[in-house]
Amino acid sequence: MSFEYFIANKVLKTKEKGIKVSRPILRISLISVALTIIVNLITLAIVHGFQNEIRQKLVGFNAPIFLIKAGNENLYEADPLHESQTILDSLLEIDGVQHISPVLYKPALIRSDDFKQAIEDDNSIQMVSKKEVNGIVLKGVNENYPKDFLNSVLKEGKIPEFKNKDNEVLISSKICRELHFKLGDEIAIFFVKNRSLMQRFKIVGIFETGIDKLDNQVVFAPLNKVQELCDFSDLNKGEIRFVSGFEIQITEWDKLEEIDSKIKDLAALKPNEHGEQLQSISVLDSENDIFSWLGFLDTNVFIIITLMILIGIVNIGSVLLVMIVVRSNFIGILKALGASNWSIRKIFLYQTGALILKAMAIGNIIGLSLCFLQYKFELIKLDATIYYLSHVPIDLSISAVFFINLITFVTCMTSLLLPSYVISRIAPSKSIKFN
């Protein structure tokens, strides 16, 4: 054990008169360091939570990459594409491509059954029979469509098999509330072809993503049923079937741009066996507004963490200066006994470091506890129409906690080297007389 550490440990435990004078400043500085940890942990947890939750829901509900007909920008309104494509086998050989699913989107209207609603008129209440109509997008998928995400957002019932002859649909809880539907109901969906057409489906599952953009619009149905109801249904004869495009699932999100580039090299603007030109669109492009917003949150995190660490640095620097002034007599005695300036600086740095670690421990306990409470009980709610989520999400990894603590401690200790230089300016002849 070095003598600097030994003395620092002994002095830290003493309760001299000077320390009592500086105790309010000491407490304020410790609180500021603890708050730095608390605020930074919560900020990082919330931002990462937002980014991961929204990304997972957008990607899980659709796909990281879409393959559609060239010239289209919106998968919901894409021109028909042959369901049979030889290029799909080549795409599946790309490292990182996990699954490819054909999908078909069809705009439609969904109507509720008659329901009673109380209306107040001239101080009297009358029961009026009403019907509600909502615009939706029917998403046709087949039995091989990945169901992991759908299972994770399922609230009631089951995920349909999506087989050819089924009339089963998966619908959002928001649409059910607005149109007074419940599990097991048969619902009327209206389509426009050469003439209006009504088709009945049975609700076998109810989901909720918390993102209004998805919950307000999309209803899952069997692919073959949606193909029969499309404007180009006359083309869907025999073995020839048409879809809006293909959803391409990948194994790792971090490889999205790399995989998308490889898909473009294989498919983009190259006519296939049907004379169709294909293009790929990543979710970063199709949902550019949302991902730009999520990317901007990283800038906010950097600003908040930087400001909080600066506040901690200023306050802990004040503690060190106060400790030096209060113990100037002690510094003079050490110098008179032959201690070097660097050895004395190390004593005070050890002391201040111990105080920083104590404050960080308190900050971690409080910060992680608050994050756990929000993660477990979802105490803070949000307006899903604005934030895409119904509550504040929390996502905090061990590496993120370690990073926040490491950067805080290292930055604070490094910044203390400058104020500790004051020790070298203290003369023993004067400081020993100081009382």
Side-chain angles (χ1 to χ4, degrees):
M1 180 186 295
S2 64
F3 92 92
E4 293 96 343
Y5 179 80
F6 176 79
I7 293 177
N9 189 44
K10 291 295 183 181
V11 172
L12 193 63
K13 295 177 181 178
T14 61
K15 298 186 180 295
E16 299 175 359
K17 180 179 178 182
I19 292 298
K20 293 179 181 179
V21 174
S22 62
R23 192 167 296 280
I25 298 175
L26 180 64
R27 286 175 177 168
I28 292 173
S29 299
L30 293 180
I31 290 172
S32 72
V33 174
L35 282 176
T36 296
I37 295 295
I38 294 170
V39 172
N40 289 345
L41 285 177
I42 293 176
T43 300
L44 208 60
I46 291 176
V47 170
H48 282 181
F50 264 108
Q51 291 174 327
N52 291 335
E53 282 284 324
I54 294 176
R55 187 194 73 207
Q56 288 173 9
K57 288 183 177 182
L58 289 174
V59 172
F61 207 78
N62 295 301
I65 302 173
F66 308 99
L67 187 67
I68 60 177
K69 206 167 189 177
N72 294 277
E73 296 182 358
N74 189 344
L75 190 63
Y76 289 1
E77 301 172 357
D79 294 330
L81 190 66
H82 278 76
E83 184 177 349
S84 175
Q85 300 280 344
T86 57
I87 195 173
L88 298 182
D89 295 330
S90 300
L91 296 180
L92 284 171
E93 294 177 359
I94 295 176
D95 183 34
V97 173
Q98 185 178 35
H99 192 271
I100 300 178
S101 305
V103 294
L104 177 58
Y105 289 94
K106 172 64 179 175
L109 294 174
I110 185 169
R111 187 191 69 189
S112 70
D113 293 328
D114 291 338
F115 64 93
K116 301 292 184 181
Q117 183 174 7
I119 297 179
E120 187 175 349
D121 184 23
D122 296 332
N123 298 324
S124 63
I125 298 178
Q126 297 181 354
M127 299 301 293
V128 178
S129 180
K130 293 185 65 178
K131 288 184 179 180
E132 295 284 351
V133 177
N134 274 17
I136 62 166
V137 175
L138 208 62
K139 180 176 182 177
V141 299
N142 61 20
E143 61 269 24
N144 297 321
Y145 187 81
K147 299 181 178 66
D148 291 342
F149 176 76
L150 295 181
N151 280 312
S152 70
V153 296
L154 185 68
K155 297 300 180 184
E156 294 182 61
K158 64 175 184 176
I159 304 298
E161 295 291 334
F162 299 123
K163 292 183 177 178
N164 296 346
K165 296 181 180 180
D166 291 343
N167 266 39
E168 299 176 341
V169 294
L170 179 67
I171 193 170
S172 75
S173 57
K174 185 175 180 62
I175 295 176
C176 287
R177 286 193 301 269
E178 292 177 350
L179 300 182
H180 307 278
F181 292 148
K182 62 182 184 298
L183 193 67
D185 283 355
E186 287 198 355
I187 59 175
I189 300 182
F190 295 85
F191 306 87
V192 177
K193 292 175 56 178
N194 298 327
R195 57 186 178 84
S196 61
L197 176 67
M198 189 269 284
Q199 179 77 41
R200 285 199 167 272
F201 291 89
K202 183 179 180 180
I203 299 175
V204 298
I206 298 175
F207 70 87
E208 183 178 353
T209 66
I211 300 180
D212 274 10
K213 180 178 181 179
L214 303 177
D215 291 343
N216 283 338
Q217 293 184 353
V218 181
V219 175
F220 287 85
L223 177 61
N224 278 38
K225 285 292 180 182
V226 182
Q227 286 174 327
E228 293 172 4
L229 298 168
C230 279
D231 298 331
F232 47 87
S233 60
D234 292 339
L235 299 175
N236 292 320
K237 295 177 180 179
E239 297 299 321
I240 301 176
R241 293 281 174 171
F242 287 81
V243 293
S244 299
F246 298 88
E247 292 185 353
I248 302 175
Q249 302 290 343
I250 61 177
T251 54
E252 295 181 44
W253 172 259
D254 294 336
K255 293 184 178 180
L256 173 61
E257 294 183 359
E258 177 187 344
I259 295 172
D260 186 40
S261 176
K262 292 179 180 179
I263 292 174
K264 281 182 167 63
D265 291 339
L266 278 176
L269 300 179
K270 296 177 182 178
N272 59 15
E273 68 272 24
H274 306 294
E276 300 165 329
Q277 289 185 322
L278 308 178
Q279 68 175 8
S280 67
I281 298 178
S282 78
V283 70
L284 296 177
D285 298 322
S286 61
E287 302 292 347
N288 181 61
D289 53 340
I290 296 178
F291 281 99
S292 295
W293 171 61
L294 293 179
F296 183 71
L297 293 178
D298 289 330
T299 304
N300 293 344
V301 169
F302 176 78
I303 293 173
I304 292 172
I305 290 177
T306 302
L307 289 177
M308 292 306 300
I309 290 178
L310 286 175
I311 292 171
I313 288 172
V314 170
N315 282 278
I316 206 66
S318 302
V319 168
L320 179 59
L321 290 174
V322 169
M323 290 172 64
I324 292 172
V325 170
V326 168
R327 292 199 174 102
S328 59
N329 193 6
F330 169 74
I331 294 171
I333 293 173
L334 287 177
K335 284 191 174 185
L337 293 173
S340 66
N341 287 325
W342 177 236
S343 293
I344 300 173
R345 289 172 69 183
K346 284 171 67 176
I347 292 172
F348 282 88
L349 289 175
Y350 281 142
Q351 286 183 277
T352 314
L355 295 174
I356 293 173
L357 289 174
K358 179 182 178 180
M360 287 173 59
I362 296 171
N364 277 289
I365 293 171
I366 297 174
L368 293 175
S369 298
L370 292 174
C371 289
F372 174 78
L373 290 173
Q374 176 61 26
Y375 176 81
K376 189 72 175 177
F377 302 106
E378 299 178 359
L379 302 175
I380 303 176
K381 305 295 182 182
L382 296 175
D383 184 352
T385 59
I386 299 174
Y387 297 100
Y388 304 105
L389 297 173
S390 57
H391 65 277
V392 173
I394 296 294
D395 184 2
L396 191 62
S397 63
I398 296 176
S399 59
V401 176
F402 178 77
F403 169 76
I404 288 295
N405 283 273
L406 179 64
I407 196 69
T408 302
F409 183 76
V410 171
T411 306
C412 286
M413 291 302 296
T414 304
S415 66
L416 291 178
L417 293 175
L418 183 61
S420 68
Y421 183 73
V422 173
I423 291 172
S424 63
R425 310 294 295 178
I426 296 177
S429 59
K430 296 180 180 180
S431 61
I432 293 176
K433 297 178 184 178
F434 182 81
N435 189 355

